[in-house]
């Protein structure tokens, strides 16, 4: 079985349309696929009409904060018509929109007019983010490349580095569970947390009703997998796996190129 439960379309920050992503999943012989766009479920409306023998699981990747650190929580196998989930998604969309407005304002104060409008030209979905502002700044010749845009205007500590006001961990988990889904800690090794801190996150996550962790996220070393499997089993969590695919040509996050979960782990799909 080839299972990928974490990937993105161009309705968040990926490069492929939902249709193109599903076509690629076919090419890669994926059996079970969950698309997990950032804070929105629009892709699922587009793929629901596709004629495919893939098992498509609903998914989302929520942004949240825990002890002032950015953490991502994947929701899998949810009822996408659930009212609390939908109002939660609205909340996150507003948080994202507020941030885009603030970035626009900061850039305006630096003398760059109409950056939000400009950024939107580079955004195929509804979510305008810093990369789109960066592309706009390149386009108008304010900087010569994306890296420079971040270095001067958008990166850490610069004017456009606006912190998001996401819903907290407990709230995000409650939306997923309320819709009958399973909450999953996404890419646990990507937060650069100490072991103690990561255990603290897992303990709060479990207290709030979280049930699973990504034991495998993209291409990772075998000892990382063993390490995450131990953590998963120590806390009696279910194990998930996904590529975190965003675009072709990124071998560290290639769709469907996900290592098998260790035998010791109870997979998240055992319930489906
Ligand atoms: Mn992303
Ligand atoms: Mn993420
Ligand atoms: Mn992701």
């Amino acid at each position: 079985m080839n299972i990928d439960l974490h990937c993105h379309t161009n309705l968040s920050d990926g490069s492929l349309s939902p249709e193109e992503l599903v076509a690629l999943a076919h090419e890669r012989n994926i059996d079970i696929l969950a698309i997990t766009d950032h804070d929105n479920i629009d892709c699922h409306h587009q793929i629901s009409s596709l004629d495919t023998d893939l098992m498509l699981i609903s998914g989302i990747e929520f942004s949240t904060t825990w002890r002032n650190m950015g953490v991502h929580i994947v929701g899998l196998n949810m009822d996408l018509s659930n009212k609390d989930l939908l109002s939660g998604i609205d909340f996150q969309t507003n948080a994202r929109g507020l941030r885009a407005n603030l970035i626009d304002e900061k850039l305006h104060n630096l003398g760059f007019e109409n950056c939000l409008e400009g950024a939107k030209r580079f955004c195929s979905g509804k979510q305008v983010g810093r990369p789109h502002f960066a592309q706009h700044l390149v386009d108008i010749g304010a900087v010569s490349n994306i890296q420079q845009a971040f270095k001067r205007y958008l990166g850490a500590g610069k004017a456009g580095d606006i912190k998001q006001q996401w819903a907290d961990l407990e709230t995000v988990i409650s939306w997923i569970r309320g819709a009958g889904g399973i909450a999953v800690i996404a890419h646990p090794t990507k937060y650069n947390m100490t072991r103690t801190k990561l255990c603290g996150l897992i303990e709060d996550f479990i207290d709030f009703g979280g049930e699973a962790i990504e034991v495998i996220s993209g291409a990772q070393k075998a000892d990382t997998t063993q390490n995450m499997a131990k953590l998963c089993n120590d806390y009696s969590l279910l194990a998930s796996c996904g590529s975190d695919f965003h675009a072709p040509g990124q071998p560290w996050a290639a769709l469907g190129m996900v290592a098998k979960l260790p035998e010791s782990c109870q997979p998240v799909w055992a319930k489906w």
Side-chain angles (χ1 to χ4, degrees):
M1 289 275 270
N2 188 352
I3 297 165
D4 194 330
L5 303 178
H6 188 148
C7 58
H8 299 273
T9 73
N10 63 1
L11 298 179
S12 62
D13 57 349
S15 71
L16 302 185
S17 70
E19 291 81 358
E20 289 167 335
L21 182 69
V22 169
L24 182 59
H26 266 286
E27 256 174 58
R28 300 266 162 97
N29 293 311
I30 291 175
D31 300 291
I32 307 179
L33 179 75
I35 305 179
T36 55
D37 274 325
H38 295 285
D39 301 293
N40 86 84
I41 54 171
D42 296 343
C43 67
H44 297 294
H45 303 304
Q46 294 195 18
I47 60 175
S48 60
S49 59
L50 293 180
D51 181 25
T52 170
D53 50 11
L54 271 181
M55 184 172 176
L56 291 167
I57 301 293
S58 64
I60 192 166
E61 182 174 17
F62 277 123
S63 308
T64 184
T65 46
W66 177 79
R67 296 191 192 165
N68 279 323
M69 284 175 282
V71 168
H72 286 174
I73 301 295
V74 162
L76 296 174
N77 210 18
M78 301 157 295
D79 167 12
L80 298 182
S81 64
N82 180 271
K83 288 206 170 62
D84 293 335
L85 176 68
L86 294 175
S87 68
I89 291 168
D90 280 346
F91 179 92
Q92 298 286 89
T93 305
N94 285 333
R96 220 177 261 277
L98 285 175
R99 180 183 189 230
N101 286 333
L102 280 173
I103 294 174
D104 179 64
E105 205 175 299
K106 295 281 184 183
L107 292 174
H108 174 86
N109 293 341
L110 291 170
F112 301 114
E113 304 293 335
N114 300 322
C115 285
L116 183 55
E117 283 312 306
K120 281 181 179 164
R121 292 179 299 137
F122 298 100
C123 175
S124 48
K126 285 185 262 177
Q127 304 174 347
V128 183
R130 282 185 297 171
H132 306 117
F133 281 99
Q135 277 176 278
H136 170 67
L137 291 173
V138 173
D139 188 60
I140 62 171
V143 290
S144 51
N145 55 48
I146 302 282
Q147 287 76 8
Q148 207 176 68
F150 273 87
K151 207 170 165 192
R152 291 195 189 160
Y153 301 114
L154 298 163
K158 300 300 169 187
D161 175 28
I162 305 291
K163 291 280 170 281
Q164 294 272 15
Q165 295 300 311
W166 302 121
D168 63 25
L169 181 64
E170 182 170 14
T171 304
V172 160
I173 295 170
S174 76
W175 293 335
I176 296 168
R177 282 181 63 94
I182 290 182
V184 187
I185 297 178
H187 41 64
T189 64
K190 308 274 165 69
Y191 306 118
N192 291 321
M193 288 183 190
T194 61
R195 188 75 165 190
T196 311
K197 223 171 217 151
L198 186 53
C199 288
L201 168 64
I202 293 172
E203 283 157 24
D204 281 356
F205 174 77
I206 291 170
D207 279 348
F208 299 148
E211 294 174 271
I213 189 166
E214 285 183 350
V215 168
I216 294 172
S217 174
Q220 67 185 29
K221 293 189 181 132
D223 63 333
T224 304
T225 302
Q226 290 315 317
N227 203 353
M228 288 304 113
K230 181 172 188 319
L231 210 49
C232 178
N233 291 332
D234 284 352
Y235 284 100
S236 303
L237 289 165
L238 297 168
S240 188
C241 62
S243 59
D244 208 359
F245 170 84
H246 283 72
Q250 300 178 339
W252 60 91
L255 190 73
M257 309 299 217
V258 180
K260 263 182 119 95
L261 285 176
E263 295 285 335
S264 63
C265 293
Q266 168 89 353
V268 74
W269 56 84
K271 290 185 175 181
W272 299 337

